[in-house]
Amino acid sequence: MPFELAQGLLATDRVERLVIYLSDPRALEARRKTTLDALRAQGIDAEVRTWQEMSPTYTRERGASELTFDSVAGMVFAVIAATIAATISMNALERRRELATLRALGMHSIGVFFMFVAEALWMALIAVAVSVAGSGLIAWVVNRISSTNQLRQYFKSAPMLVELDFERMMMAVVTVLAVALLASLVPAFRAARADMAEGLAG
């Protein structure tokens, strides 16, 4: 950026605002600090604000969007936890005779506990793999359809392509695994503490 031009414009009484466009939006904060330091080094008392800060409407809409996303994500994680807990509980109930046999053959209760926890994590990993693959496939199909000449001529504008937010996807994957782990603890503990004689009796 030509700081001399910015300094010359801001030094006059006619300029109150100067707009700077960046070719790389990811360097916004770094460029912001560099610009502010350079202007203040020349004795120009200026404020450097981003376009998000200059747009109250964007701030409100983004806050509402993030609240909606967090609410939906919370409900989804609650459903995942309930599903994992119910599935592990049903598995332990249906396999109580097999578990009692394993205990009678020398398997420790801690082994039964970790077996059910591992099953819950495997279920979550399979669901995550299917979900990630499905998201990538859907994004690819939508982008291919949006890039066709027929749609460009119909809308008379550049297509809006779907971009996957890999950072949020990884956070969701870690959260799902953590939820699955926590949801499986109580059913796995109950299965590990089940009475062996009652299980053998059927």
Side-chain angles (χ1 to χ4, degrees):
M1 169 195 168
F3 292 108
E4 294 79 7
L5 175 61
Q7 293 165 4
L9 292 173
L10 293 174
T12 64
D13 296 333
R14 298 180 180 180
V15 178
E16 295 182 355
R17 181 178 299 176
L18 180 65
V19 180
I20 302 174
Y21 295 94
L22 298 178
S23 59
D24 186 7
R26 294 172 296 182
L28 178 62
E29 290 300 327
R31 295 297 182 184
R32 175 183 184 176
K33 185 177 184 305
T34 303
T35 304
L36 186 61
D37 293 342
L39 292 175
R40 289 184 175 176
Q42 297 297 323
I44 300 176
D45 187 15
E47 294 182 1
V48 180
R49 299 181 181 178
T50 63
W51 66 270
Q52 295 96 331
E53 297 171 346
M54 298 294 292
S55 177
T57 303
Y58 169 81
T59 304
R60 289 195 301 269
E61 293 297 330
R62 180 171 182 178
S65 176
E66 290 182 349
L67 179 60
T68 302
F69 176 83
D70 293 339
S71 301
V72 173
M75 290 186 290
V76 170
F77 292 141
V79 171
I80 292 173
T83 303
I84 293 291
T87 303
I88 296 300
S89 298
M90 289 301 299
N91 287 345
L93 181 63
E94 293 175 355
R95 294 157 54 189
R96 60 186 183 276
R97 179 171 294 179
E98 290 81 355
L99 294 176
T101 303
L102 291 175
R103 293 282 307 280
L105 292 176
M107 187 175 188
H108 295 287
S109 58
I110 191 67
V112 176
F113 175 81
F114 282 117
M115 182 176 64
F116 280 102
V117 170
E119 287 184 6
L121 291 178
W122 271 113
M123 291 169 54
L125 284 174
I126 293 173
V128 164
V130 173
S131 177
V132 171
S135 300
L137 179 61
I138 292 173
W140 180 80
V141 171
V142 171
N143 291 342
R144 287 295 300 270
I145 295 175
S146 301
S147 301
T148 57
N149 294 329
Q150 290 83 357
L151 285 180
R152 287 187 177 183
Q153 294 174 0
Y154 179 78
F155 290 108
K156 298 180 181 180
S157 61
M160 295 184 64
L161 302 179
V162 177
E163 294 184 0
L164 298 178
D165 191 343
F166 291 102
E167 182 177 351
R168 281 196 172 187
M169 290 176 67
M170 291 300 102
M171 290 177 58
V173 168
V174 173
T175 305
V176 166
L177 294 178
V179 169
L181 176 62
L182 294 176
S184 67
L185 293 180
V186 173
F189 180 77
R190 289 178 178 175
R193 295 297 301 272
D195 185 73
M196 187 170 55
E198 183 180 352
L200 290 174

